């Protein structure tokens, strides 16, 4: 790293931090205007809201727009250098274009590593703080939706079904439990009503009937009520919005392993989230290189033209990400491919622009 590299790297870091701070201030102000009625309704102080909500909201919005704002920042300061003929002077001094990109590589890899670490552990914990606050204090997010005909596998041989379950009161109706040995059904339990007892951590059943099946023999019995210790916590039945965003990567992988065992469906969104956390970090490197290449050439339109091109590319990147995510969650597109398609496309664009860039 030479003096010119440190010069470019300082501009890189300074411009990005300034842009990010401006973005966060604007985002917080907009969010306050949307939720001010909820804050006033619950008589929440500014300090309480900040420590219990915005301390989680700020990392969330920063990580969400991190690749795009670092892209815009690179275009902004590089186009300024090109407009002042600094890049022409650097290349005229015998520095190759590939050598000129070295500080951009260093900055991109550094920021990409920061985003990767944040996405794995820091941002999920921040999202947990944010969603907990919204669930408790923000309108339309307090009550959990009741579930109907909810079936799941809770261990290797036990399957359960709730005809109806209300997560707000932790009770339900038309409960069925089946135990299977290999391919043989050996036990069926039915209950008219089921309630979770938080003190004993057991499920209390009312209006119970049991069938024990052994080959051609069957034993039927009824009882008014009973209590069962199941490998099922009521929190696992709650339909939490964007649950995957509040899990650290180890927690997310553990959850996926458990849900796969239960034969759960609709896990694509969780897999997309797992793979997106790494692909977003790689996107930082790709977008930095694209930004440096397209804005290093001095053009008549100056920074304005470069920024316009940057906004178009940013919008295209978001569009690709949204399309691939929808195809993964609603269709049969592999989640790994869905998370990485935008990076593949834009890595090809970066390589093409590099070949076409004036050296």
């Amino acid at each position: 790293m030479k003096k010119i590299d440190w010069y470019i790297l300082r501009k890189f870091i300074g411009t990005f931090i300034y842009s990010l701070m401006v973005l966060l201030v604007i985002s917080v102000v907009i969010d306050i205007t949307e939720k001010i009625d909820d804050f006033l309704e619950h008589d929440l102080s500014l300090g309480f809201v900040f420590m219990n909500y915005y301390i989680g909201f700020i990392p969330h919005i920063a990580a969400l727009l991190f690749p795009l704002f670092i892209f815009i920042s690179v275009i902004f300061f590089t186009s300024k250098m090109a407009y002042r003929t600094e890049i022409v002077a650097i290349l005229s001094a015998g520095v190759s274009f590939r050598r000129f990109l070295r500080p951009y590589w260093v900055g991109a890899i550094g920021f990409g590593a920061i985003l990767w670490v944040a996405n794995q552990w820091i941002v999920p914990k921040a999202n947990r703080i944010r969603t907990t606050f919204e669930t408790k204090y923000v309108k339309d997010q307090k009550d959990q939706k009741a579930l109907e005909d909810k079936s799941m596998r809770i261990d290797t041989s036990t399957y359960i079904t709730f005809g109806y379950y209300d997560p707000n009161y932790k009770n339900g109706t038309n409960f069925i439990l089946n135990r299977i040995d290999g391919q043989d059904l050996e036990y069926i339990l039915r209950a008219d009503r089921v309630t979770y007892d938080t003190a004993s951590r057991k499920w209390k059943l009312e209006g119970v009937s049991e069938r024990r099946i052994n080959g051609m023999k069957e034993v039927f019995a009824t009882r008014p009520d009973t209590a069962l210790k199941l490998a099922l916590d009521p929190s696992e039945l709650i339909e939490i919005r964007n649950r995957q965003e509040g899990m650290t990567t180890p927690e997310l992988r553990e959850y996926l392993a458990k849900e796969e065992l239960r034969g759960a469906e609709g896990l694509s969104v969780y897999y997309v989230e797992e793979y997106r956390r790494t692909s977003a970090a790689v996107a930082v490197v790709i977008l930095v290189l694209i930004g440096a290449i397209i804005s290093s050439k001095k053009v008549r339109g100056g920074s304005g033209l470069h920024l316009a091109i940057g906004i178009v590319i940013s919008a295209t990147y978001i569009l690709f990400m949204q399309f691939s995510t929808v195809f993964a969650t609603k269709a049969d597109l592999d989640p790994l491919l869905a998370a990485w398609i935008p990076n593949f496309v834009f890595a090809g664009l970066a390589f093409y622009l590099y070949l076409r860039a004036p050296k």
Side-chain angles (χ1 to χ4, degrees):
M1 294 286 287
K2 305 294 184 180
K3 185 178 291 186
I4 187 64
D5 298 316
W6 288 112
Y7 171 74
I8 295 174
L9 196 56
R10 283 196 301 269
K11 282 184 171 291
F12 187 174
I13 296 173
T15 305
F16 173 67
I17 292 177
Y18 175 78
S19 302
L20 188 62
M21 291 302 176
V22 172
L23 163 71
L24 293 179
V25 170
I26 294 174
S27 300
V28 169
V29 170
I30 293 174
D31 193 70
I32 288 175
T33 58
E34 291 180 348
K35 296 184 173 67
I36 187 66
D37 291 338
D38 297 306
F39 299 158
L40 294 176
E41 179 182 342
H42 294 90
D43 194 25
L44 304 178
S45 67
L46 181 62
F48 179 85
V49 171
F50 179 82
M51 293 304 299
N52 291 273
Y53 176 64
Y54 284 107
I55 199 171
F57 174 82
I58 291 174
H60 162 73
I61 199 68
L64 183 66
L65 299 177
F66 193 98
L68 301 183
F69 257 77
I70 207 169
F71 177 56
I72 298 298
S73 300
V74 168
I75 289 179
F76 184 76
F77 85 83
T78 306
S79 63
K80 287 291 185 182
M81 291 177 61
Y83 183 73
R84 293 195 294 261
T85 325
E86 293 180 53
I87 296 177
V88 173
I90 293 172
L91 299 179
S92 299
V95 177
S96 67
F97 190 73
R98 183 170 62 180
R99 174 63 182 81
F100 165 73
L101 292 176
R102 179 182 294 179
Y104 291 93
W105 276 103
V106 173
I109 293 173
F111 279 120
I114 291 173
L115 180 60
W116 184 85
V117 172
N119 279 340
Q120 306 300 315
W121 293 281
I122 300 173
V123 176
K125 292 180 180 179
N127 282 332
R128 206 174 299 167
I129 296 172
R130 176 178 60 87
T131 54
T132 299
F133 181 92
E134 289 179 340
T135 301
K136 188 173 183 179
Y137 294 109
V138 177
K139 291 178 180 178
D140 302 326
Q141 297 195 34
K142 296 178 185 178
D143 294 331
Q144 302 294 334
K145 293 182 179 179
L147 307 177
E148 295 184 1
D149 297 324
K150 175 68 174 179
S151 299
M152 60 194 308
R153 181 181 182 181
I154 60 174
D155 58 39
T156 55
S157 61
T158 307
Y159 298 80
I160 62 170
T161 299
F162 288 91
Y164 175 87
Y165 179 77
D166 188 341
N168 299 298
Y169 299 99
K170 299 179 181 178
N171 60 32
T173 58
N174 298 330
F175 176 79
I176 302 174
L177 182 147
N178 295 324
R179 286 201 178 97
I180 299 175
D181 182 13
Q183 295 184 352
D184 299 325
L185 179 63
E186 63 176 14
Y187 179 73
I188 304 174
L189 179 146
R190 296 176 181 272
D192 296 331
R193 184 175 178 83
V194 58
T195 305
Y196 183 75
D197 186 352
T198 55
S200 63
R201 295 185 178 181
K202 292 183 178 180
W203 293 88
K204 291 187 174 181
L205 311 179
E206 301 176 14
V208 180
S209 64
E210 297 177 290
R211 292 180 183 272
R212 299 182 185 276
I213 305 169
N214 184 11
M216 298 300 293
K217 298 180 180 180
E218 179 176 323
V219 178
F220 178 79
T222 61
R223 64 180 73 177
D225 57 61
T226 188
L228 285 181
K229 183 75 173 180
L230 299 176
L232 177 70
D233 190 88
S235 62
E236 299 176 43
L237 293 168
I238 296 177
E239 296 286 343
I240 300 176
R241 298 179 184 180
N242 301 319
R243 180 200 295 264
Q244 71 280 4
E245 294 181 0
M247 298 179 184
T248 64
T249 298
E251 292 170 344
L252 182 58
R253 290 171 179 167
E254 182 182 351
Y255 175 82
L256 285 169
K258 185 186 294 184
E259 292 301 303
E260 288 283 1
L261 175 64
R262 291 174 173 174
E265 298 179 352
L267 297 178
S268 294
V269 65
Y270 293 89
Y271 281 110
V272 170
E273 173 65 19
E274 179 186 359
Y275 302 138
R276 182 201 63 80
R277 294 177 180 183
T278 299
S279 68
V282 176
V284 169
V285 179
I286 297 172
L287 292 175
V288 165
L289 294 177
I290 293 176
I293 293 168
I294 65 175
S295 57
S296 60
K297 181 181 179 181
K298 186 175 181 179
V299 294
R300 188 182 299 272
S303 299
L305 179 59
H306 287 146
L307 287 173
I309 295 173
I311 291 172
V312 171
I313 293 177
S314 301
T316 307
Y317 178 83
I318 294 174
L319 188 64
F320 266 94
M321 180 59 75
Q322 291 299 322
F323 266 111
S324 60
T325 301
V326 169
F327 277 110
T329 55
K330 303 298 182 181
D332 295 326
L333 182 63
D334 184 84
L336 178 61
L337 187 60
W340 283 89
I341 280 178
N343 285 354
F344 293 151
V345 173
F346 280 81
L349 175 62
F351 183 71
Y352 172 78
L353 292 174
Y354 175 76
L355 294 179
R356 296 293 302 272
K359 307 299 191 294

